[in-house]
Amino acid sequence: MPNLTYLSKNFKSPYTGRNFVGRNTLPVSWGKLMHAAITVGKADATYLNKHGVLSRYERKMRMYMVKVNLIETVATKSTPAQFQHSEVYKSLDPSEKTALSYFMGLTMAKLLASHFLNIPWLQHFDGYATPLKGTRPDLLGMNSKRGFVIMEAKGRTGAATKALMKKAKDQTAVPPFIHSPGGGMHPIIARVASASYANKAGVLAARWEDPEEADLNARSSVIEPLEFLHQYYEPIRTLIDFEAPGTEEKEYEGYTFTTRFFPEVDVTVGLLNKPLEFYLDDSPHSADSAWYITFTRNRRLKGLLNDTSDTGRDLFFGADGVLVALGPSWNSENMQREPSQRDSI
């Protein structure tokens, strides 16, 4: 399976382990990458209500972007397999590359936040928080304890420079608390600047930094956790389209998912059949309490979650309850070819 090289800098407690210091590599299956690609980004209710079915097409386009613009390099004794830009990507004009680079920047931010920061839900800041004047970050993430992470995501075809990272860090200078409509306050547990980039060979990499403490003013943001989840899952529900022919329920390790197969890209997407309250229920006597811990302690699911099982390439369970299953066209041999040379796109 491909490896992602990433550089971590300036992370503070509790993010001070090896994964948050210096240059490291992370095994990332195509399923895990696809999960990050289709679950991050816009989920504004206004957008969904205005565009309806076009939201589904936008998510499907993300699947195509992953499959067509990236290939898997051949592993050697000294270098593991990695993600590399395809010839299709290299043939794009600069404006198209800029758009795809930003998309990959968002994807890398979601992948890193979910894997290392235990942030299952990451979406555009403007979709949920009271608009702020001046500089603002791209993304707002939430964990199962209602702690929030602010992220600014950048994407570049070439290097992620110090100037780029400084600009990203500056955009994370937002209030230390997010206020609920009911008056409660949820802490910002981290402010992170991230960027995806490619080296001269077109190999995909990432860097992220926990910025130095920024000067804060009295601005505040208003958000309700259940509404946050509703808007996060709405694009996924729209993509699957629960009422459409072709959806089916499948059970994996005791969990039931509503799934839909997309033959054009050989991808199945599923959503865990649980109400939104399930994800935030931390009452001590509830069967659904501490869902994140329960979900990830299942040995098989945890293996798939961390891409360590034999089937990690083909099946990925996100900590947000979104499942991605890849068909045979995503096998290593096929994905090492340029898109025009594959057995199936």
Side-chain angles (χ1 to χ4, degrees), residues 324-340:
V324 172
L326 304 182
S329 69
W330 290 83
N331 69 75
S332 182
E333 182 179 357
N334 201 39
M335 294 305 293
Q336 287 170 359
R337 302 171 181 148
E338 292 293 336
S340 62

Side-chain angles (χ1 to χ4, degrees), residues 183-202:
M185 291 192 298
H186 309 289
I188 300 295
I189 58 177
R191 299 178 181 84
V192 181
S194 70
S196 68
Y197 64 98
N199 63 18
K200 292 181 179 180

Side-chain angles (χ1 to χ4, degrees), residues 5 30 32 34 59 77 81 84 90 113 117 137 144 151 189 201 218 225 232-234 258 272 276 311 319 326 344:
T5 297
W30 284 100
K32 182 168 188 164
M34 180 64 76
R59 298 283 156 159
K77 289 184 178 180
Q84 185 179 52
K90 294 174 185 177
L117 304 181
S144 59
M151 292 191 76
I189 58 177
Y232 177 90
Y233 286 108
E234 194 58 31
T258 298
L272 187 65
L276 295 180
T311 58
L326 304 182
S344 173

Side-chain angles (χ1 to χ4, degrees), residues 66 85 123 129 162 164 169-170 196 203 217 220 236 261 266:
V66 169
H85 285 149
Q123 289 288 279
K162 291 183 179 179
L164 178 71
K169 288 192 288 185
D170 289 344
S196 68
V203 172
N217 55 35
S220 64
I236 301 299
F261 176 57
D266 201 17

